[in-house]
Amino acid sequence: MTGGYEAVVYDLDGTLVRLNVDWAAVKTEVSRVLREAGRETTDADMWSVLATADDAGVRTAVNDIITEHELAGADTAARLPAADDIPRDVPVGVCSLNAEAACRRALAAHELADAVAVVAGRDTTPAMKPDPRALEWVTTELGVAPADTLFVGDSASDETTAERAGADFQWV
């Protein structure tokens, strides 16, 4: 897989593992907090809700709800086939929209933590995917340029992140 790349960076949820999270329950809890702050989120996806939470001044409360569910879901996450293909001959990182602690917990649960040198969650850097700065931070920490990195993910947001950062992308 490394085919000339100096590093490989993975998305986490849907790529290496599938967090066992009831996203409908998360949305219900988050919506309650946002309604109490005078905001509605009926059509918003979970990640754009964070911007609404910022505007409403309840980002910490909303992030805490999401993180709590992700941490619980990390304990029972399913390992996905891509986890068996993590290269050992180049540095490996994770760049995820999930909380860093949930990423680390899921990696540890599947004995992948030693294979991953750098982990960035939505709370690690000031920018979240598809903003390229999240992936750029990971590659900097790995000591490689984005142009020498393969980013592996499962979403259009992952592909956009790679494109914006100047990294190659591979769908899982």
Side-chain angles (χ1 to χ4, degrees):
M1 168 190 259
T2 56
Y5 294 104
E6 292 183 22
V8 178
V9 178
Y10 292 88
D11 170 54
L12 181 81
D13 192 20
T15 303
L16 295 176
V17 302
R18 171 111 27 238
L19 295 179
N20 187 16
V21 176
D22 180 348
W23 291 107
V26 175
K27 187 167 185 175
T28 298
E29 289 182 43
V30 165
S31 293
R32 178 187 48 77
V33 170
L34 288 168
R35 272 193 310 279
E36 290 171 359
R39 304 296 169 102
E40 288 298 323
T41 62
T42 53
D43 293 329
D45 69 36
M46 189 54 60
W47 310 119
S48 61
V49 162
L50 288 171
T52 302
D54 276 338
D55 294 342
V58 292
R59 168 78 180 236
T60 299
V62 166
N63 188 61
D64 288 351
I65 290 167
I66 299 169
T67 299
E68 179 182 319
H69 283 270
E70 290 172 338
L71 285 167
D75 290 332
T76 57
R79 182 182 173 116
L80 298 176
D84 297 330
D85 296 329
I86 293 177
R88 304 297 177 158
D89 59 336
V90 296
V92 173
V94 164
C95 183
S96 177
L97 284 174
N98 302 108
E100 181 180 341
C103 294
R104 291 186 181 283
R105 185 178 286 185
L107 292 168
H110 290 286
E111 299 178 350
L112 299 170
D114 290 342
V116 178
V118 176
V119 177
R122 71 173 171 273
D123 50 352
T124 308
T125 67
M128 294 186 329
K129 298 183 307 182
D131 188 310
R133 292 177 293 167
L135 180 55
E136 291 166 350
W137 182 87
V138 173
T139 61
T140 297
E141 292 296 306
L142 291 173
V144 300
D148 298 320
T149 302
L150 177 64
F151 187 39
V152 180
D154 71 321
S155 72
S157 174
D158 293 332
E159 185 175 34
T160 299
T161 303
E163 181 180 292
R164 290 177 177 173
D168 284 345
F169 181 74
Q170 178 179 309
W171 285 89
V172 69

